[in-house]
Amino acid sequence: MKKRSNWFWNILIIATLLLCTFVFILHYKNYTKIKEGHFQVVSGFYQQRIPLANIHGVEFVPRIPEMERKNGFSWLTREKGVFLDSVSGNKIYVFVDDLQQRKLKIQYGESRELYLNLTDSLETQKIYTTLKTFMDPTTE
């Protein structure tokens, strides 16, 4: 019996592990920025870009409402993806790094919502303050 080389399977296993590690790193945290009149949130494959002029509500909420997952994932205290509101059927984007902390509820467009928080609650507070300033420039 001939002994075959398993180099193909070894390369496939290593490539799969590298791909899974890369995807995990992309989704590990939320990346936010405000640039050129838009607020952008990116977490791996999920991203949302909202014109600042379309944001009409920003508030802290203790928890996200019950929703159906359209696509996305939950892992420990992280929740990311696109969900559907059980009542209205609207799409809701969720970028939550820590379910135990307060979340920002950002309302934009006609009836769109986005829930966001970062691992660092001070960074989440900075985003809240910045978005509130863009909504009403007369506030501090």
Side-chain angles (χ1 to χ4, degrees):
M1 188 176 234
K2 273 184 162 180
K3 184 176 182 183
R4 292 187 202 174
S5 174
N6 291 328
W7 63 269
F8 173 76
W9 295 110
N10 289 337
I11 290 175
L12 184 65
I13 289 170
I14 291 170
T16 302
L17 289 173
L18 288 173
L19 178 67
C20 290
T21 302
F22 179 69
V23 169
F24 173 76
I25 290 169
L26 283 177
H27 285 86
Y28 185 71
K29 69 179 258 185
N30 295 323
Y31 301 94
T32 62
K33 69 179 173 181
I34 296 175
K35 187 176 179 183
E36 299 172 2
H38 289 85
F39 174 65
Q40 184 173 9
V41 183
V42 177
S43 181
F45 300 120
Y46 301 103
Q47 70 174 353
Q48 194 63 12
R49 189 171 186 218
I50 306 167
L52 292 171
N54 286 357
I55 296 175
H56 56 81
V58 178
E59 64 179 315
F60 276 108
V61 294
R63 38 180 288 185
I64 58 177
E66 289 190 33
M67 300 177 275
E68 292 179 40
R69 179 179 296 135
K70 184 173 178 182
N71 59 50
F73 68 94
S74 300
W75 180 65
L76 297 175
T77 61
R78 297 186 195 292
E79 189 89 38
K80 310 227 176 160
V82 181
F83 293 75
L84 295 175
D85 185 353
S86 303
V87 178
S88 68
N90 291 336
K91 279 186 186 178
I92 298 175
Y93 295 88
V94 177
F95 297 91
V96 174
D97 278 345
D98 190 349
L99 283 169
Q100 297 172 348
Q101 294 182 23
R102 299 185 304 167
K103 294 112 192 103
L104 277 179
K105 177 182 178 183
I106 302 171
Q107 297 170 315
Y108 62 99
E110 289 184 26
S111 60
R112 295 271 174 135
E113 292 179 357
L114 180 141
Y115 289 90
L116 165 76
N117 80 356
L118 306 175
T119 306
D120 184 358
S121 61
L122 293 176
E123 289 297 319
T124 305
Q125 181 67 43
K126 283 182 188 176
I127 292 171
Y128 171 79
T129 304
T130 304
L131 291 178
K132 278 297 225 188
T133 302
F134 276 106
M135 284 176 49
D136 184 14
T138 60
T139 60
E140 293 182 10

